Amino acid sequence: MSADSEQRTIRCLIAKVGLDGHDRGAHVISRAFRDAGFEVIYSGLHRAPDEIIQATVQEDVDVLGISILSGAHNTLVPKVMAGLEEYGALDDTLVIVGGIIPEEDRPELLDEGVDAIFGPGTPMQETIDFVKENAPERK
């Protein structure tokens, strides 16, 4: 067996939290992740933070990608982060956020534990490489 075939598959949940109804970006990143060899689960639209937390824990994902364009990132993302911490899942889940996140709001999200923020125009390969390099090792 070659080293490539022994490499594990990275499991990702792409989540649309809150009332944000714009999901084109979530679909684009889901497809790019799938094409990169990741296993991808898409939450669908209008998910509550608790639903995202439960799905992250139950699906035992390596990566949670939160796509948010509604401007509610300072309210919704901290709720997701707190829930992951409460379930003991924060340390072994890479959390990335994509969407319209103003520069002045990014430090607070990073302080909450978000690992990276990707805005519009970020090359897909940059996001894929970040996930490959930073996804937590399975125990």
Side-chain angles (χ1 to χ4, degrees), residues 7-8 10-12 14 29 32-33 36 38 62-66 81 90 92-98 106 109-110 113-119 122-137:
Q7 213 171 17
R8 70 180 180 91
I10 297 172
R11 291 175 52 88
C12 304
I14 303 300
I29 198 68
F33 280 7
F38 302 165
D62 304 302
V63 180
L64 170 59
I66 301 171
M81 301 305 285
L90 188 56
D92 58 353
T93 306
L94 181 72
V95 180
I96 59 176
V97 174
R106 292 176 181 220
L109 295 177
L110 295 170
V114 170
D115 294 292
I117 300 167
F118 298 97
T122 301
M124 289 296 160
Q125 194 60 51
E126 182 179 324
T127 308
I128 291 165
D129 290 344
F130 182 85
V131 168
K132 285 181 177 177
E133 292 166 11
N134 293 285
E137 293 293 321

Side-chain angles (χ1 to χ4, degrees), residues 12-136:
C12 304
L13 171 63
I14 303 300
K16 291 296 297 180
V17 66
L19 299 177
D20 184 356
H22 301 91
D23 65 348
R24 182 170 182 241
H27 284 284
V28 169
I29 198 68
S30 293
R31 179 166 295 181
F33 280 7
R34 184 200 65 203
D35 291 349
F38 302 165
E39 181 180 343
V40 180
I41 302 159
Y42 174 57
S43 72
L45 290 170
H46 310 300
R47 299 294 171 216
D50 287 342
E51 291 176 293
I52 300 306
I53 296 159
Q54 290 298 318
T56 300
V57 172
Q58 291 172 7
E59 295 290 346
D60 192 29
V61 298
D62 304 302
V63 180
L64 170 59
I66 301 171
S67 172
I68 191 159
L69 298 166
S70 66
H73 49 272
N74 285 336
T75 301
L76 297 173
V77 173
K79 287 180 182 180
V80 172
M81 301 305 285
L84 292 176
E85 187 166 20
E86 182 180 322
Y87 277 91
L90 188 56
D91 289 340
D92 58 353
T93 306
L94 181 72
V95 180
I96 59 176
V97 174
I100 309 289
I101 311 295
E103 286 296 325
E104 61 268 17
D105 292 346
R106 292 176 181 220
E108 182 180 332
L109 295 177
L110 295 170
D111 287 346
E112 290 283 343
V114 170
D115 294 292
I117 300 167
F118 298 97
T122 301
M124 289 296 160
Q125 194 60 51
E126 182 179 324
T127 308
I128 291 165
D129 290 344
F130 182 85
V131 168
K132 285 181 177 177
E133 292 166 11
N134 293 285

